[in-house]
Amino acid sequence: MNVTDYIHIQGGFKMKMYHLVIVGFGGMGNEHHERIKEVDGLTVLGVYDIKEERGEYAKQKGLKVYESLDCVLADSKVDIILIATPNDSHKEIAIKALKAGKNVICEKPVTLNSVELVEIISVANQYHKLFVVHQNRRWDEDFLTIKKIYEENLLGEIFTIESRVHGSRGIPGDWRQKKEHGGGMLLDWGVHILDQIVLMVKEKIKKVYCQLTHVTNDEVDDGFKLILTFESGKTALLEVGTSNFISLPRWYLLGNNGSAIIEDWSLNGKILRVKGSEEKDIVPVRTAAGLTKTMAPRRKDTIFEEKLPKQTADVTDFYRNVINTLSGQEQIQVRNEQVLRVMRLIDTAFQSAQLQQVLDFE
Ligand code: NAD
């Protein structure tokens, strides 16, 4: 590979070409390689993986294969290290890379707890290098759509948010089942859906309550229910399950003027809003053994149904933001203080689950 190609010409403008090495070329390392092909100004120079067969696979893709992490760090052509190894190894690799003068992109969950992240941030600050976490689900279109409904007050005052991710195959049978490697769903999916909620609800969080499930695994959690209470009193229920043969909707949002639902990743769903004045002459509904006005379905003329304001996004903008930050043209979007707040929430959630108590947060 010709690495002297530092200048990339695009639309008549000269851009620096940033060279990146992927450390850990498994499922996600490979995905990064594919996505980075779409990004002008950034190229994957090579990989390092402790497994020889992953090196062989990388060679077939025309990538340089480094013999060790030290060889990667000694290569002056490398601007950015991208860490896509199991969760427990992120901290050590990140600190080593930052101290060697490299910028670092790190997979989520960034570390196993907030204390480890504080250590990394302090090294990044000391060595004046960029450290950024790949919180790619900020670009999920279901999330951006629900965020739009929330921010534009389409349902009036929101009082409940429910965010769920359900599967039925348990935890993948690899390092994700081991505590020492940072396995479990709270770390795996928890960081994604917490990051989304706190980006959307810009309030202090007062209370945290968490229950972990162990349906298929004793060592690590295979799911969780997490309730956050915000300063205004609104609540968010976050739930991940891996033994759910029937999935509940991805998002459910309740406001005093309406409700919204997003059923799935394909953005099937709707908004229902109250039309005009109060409903009068409610006809009670007769259930099997009772009568209820409270739970009677609404008359059609008192509500209107709307389509979701579907949002689109390009996740490769994550990498563009990284290189534009390095060249001084943009501010980094995934900020370390945001990631740290989420890791503190994760710490508190684990504690809450262990103590079976609601805990104070901010
Ligand atoms: P994986 O097991 O498929 O790949 C990990 C690779 O790292 C393996 O090839 C392994 O040999 C290699 N490795 C292990 N220790 C190493 C070391 N010390 N140095 C170099 N290589 C090493 O796992 P994965 O699914 O690719 O997950 C990797 C990371 O990516 C995890 O942190 C995971 O949480 C994250 N991830 C993120 C997303 C996302 O959407 N952001 C999705 C999947 C995985």
Side-chain angles (χ1 to χ4, degrees):
M1 172 170 294
N2 177 13
V3 290
T4 57
D5 179 19
Y6 278 95
I7 304 296
H8 180 76
I9 312 286
Q10 190 202 35
F13 294 103
K14 286 183 174 181
M15 285 171 73
K16 175 175 163 52
M17 176 65 89
Y18 287 93
H19 296 101
L20 177 148
V21 168
I22 299 173
V23 176
F25 199 55
M28 198 57 208
N30 189 53
E31 180 71 13
H32 281 291
H33 177 228
E34 292 302 318
R35 289 183 187 178
I36 289 171
K37 286 179 187 167
E38 310 285 313
V39 181
D40 287 335
L42 182 63
T43 189
V44 177
L45 195 58
V47 309
Y48 165 60
D49 196 294
I50 48 168
K51 278 192 200 142
E52 217 175 291
E53 68 261 28
R54 295 311 291 174
E56 288 306 316
Y57 177 67
K59 268 186 205 155
Q60 287 165 21
K61 296 199 149 204
L63 292 166
K64 175 174 174 167
V65 177
Y66 289 84
E67 276 179 17
S68 66
L69 179 61
D70 287 337
C71 292
V72 179
L73 300 183
D75 186 344
S76 60
K77 295 183 254 356
V78 180
D79 304 296
I80 306 168
I81 305 290
L82 189 154
I83 304 172
T85 56
N87 304 339
D88 58 315
S89 52
H90 294 175
K91 185 186 108 174
E92 192 186 332
I93 299 170
I95 289 181
K96 222 173 160 184
L98 290 164
K99 286 187 173 173
K102 306 298 184 192
N103 301 293
V104 174
I105 297 174
C106 184
E107 259 309 338
K108 53 49 63 178
V110 58
T111 46
L112 304 194
N113 54 57
S114 64
V115 175
E116 290 188 356
L117 176 56
V118 169
E119 271 185 69
I120 300 178
I121 294 172
S122 94
V123 176
N125 291 342
Q126 198 186 340
Y127 285 80
H128 305 290
K129 289 289 148 194
L130 182 70
F131 177 78
V132 58
V133 182
H134 184 236
Q135 292 294 157
N136 50 322
R137 292 198 173 273
R138 290 187 182 194
W139 283 264
D140 269 351
E141 293 176 351
D142 59 282
F143 163 61
L144 294 171
T145 301
I146 214 79
K147 185 163 174 274
K148 174 101 178 154
I149 296 170
Y150 180 88
E151 286 174 348
E152 299 209 338
N153 287 318
L154 297 184
L155 309 177
E157 187 84 25
I158 300 294
F159 57 92
T160 295
I161 302 159
E162 298 184 6
S163 167
R164 291 187 173 84
V165 184
H166 286 166
S168 61
R169 294 181 191 86
I171 305 182
D174 54 9
W175 54 267
R176 284 174 177 80
Q177 299 200 352
K178 300 278 170 213
K179 200 171 180 62
E180 61 173 314
H181 294 307
M185 284 295 123
L186 185 54
L187 278 169
D188 191 12
W189 268 95
V191 289
H192 280 309
I193 64 176
L194 272 168
D195 186 59
Q196 292 179 337
I197 288 286
V198 300
L199 272 183
M200 185 162 88
V201 185
K202 296 180 179 69
E203 287 182 31
K204 281 190 175 165
I205 295 164
K206 302 312 279 181
K207 304 278 179 195
V208 175
Y209 180 63
C210 182
Q211 287 177 336
L212 303 177
T213 60
H214 292 272
V215 182
T216 55
N217 289 75
D218 288 332
E219 190 169 327
V220 295
D221 66 282
D222 51 28
F224 62 86
K225 269 200 185 82
L226 177 52
I227 298 173
L228 306 177
T229 308
F230 291 92
E231 196 167 34
S232 64
K234 68 169 62 76
T235 58
L237 167 66
L238 289 77
E239 187 184 279
V240 167
T242 52
S243 298
N244 298 53
F245 293 86
I246 298 172
S247 298
L248 290 176
R250 174 72 189 89
W251 293 95
Y252 182 51
L253 200 58
L254 299 176
N256 59 355
N257 274 326
S259 311
I261 194 162
I262 299 184
E263 303 280 356
D264 48 33
W265 307 111
S266 310
L267 269 79
N268 290 304
K270 63 184 175 192
I271 294 177
L272 273 189
R273 286 208 270 176
V274 176
K275 194 196 274 182
S277 56
E278 268 183 44
E279 193 185 27
K280 295 199 181 84
D281 309 323
I282 304 162
V283 182
V285 66
R286 222 169 263 286
T287 62
L291 194 67
T292 175
K293 269 190 180 185
T294 317
M295 301 306 168
R298 287 196 77 105
R299 274 200 340 255
K300 288 269 186 291
D301 60 316
T302 67
I303 42 170
F304 60 99
E305 185 175 325
E306 284 173 283
K307 287 187 177 157
L308 295 170
K310 289 184 186 173
Q311 302 294 294
T312 53
D314 179 356
V315 72
T316 58
D317 284 346
F318 169 83
Y319 310 97
R320 289 186 195 95
N321 175 247
V322 170
I323 59 174
N324 289 340
T325 300
L326 288 173
S327 62
Q329 296 169 63
E330 284 180 18
Q331 302 270 316
I332 198 73
Q333 251 174 287
V334 180
R335 300 204 313 270
N336 288 330
E337 66 267 24
Q338 296 170 329
V339 181
L340 184 57
R341 185 167 176 242
V342 168
M343 288 312 296
R344 288 192 168 129
L345 277 168
I346 296 272
D347 294 347
T348 310
F350 273 124
Q351 229 181 329
S352 161
Q354 196 190 359
L355 299 170
Q356 298 182 29
Q357 278 176 20
V358 178
L359 298 181
D360 291 334
F361 189 63
E362 288 165 330

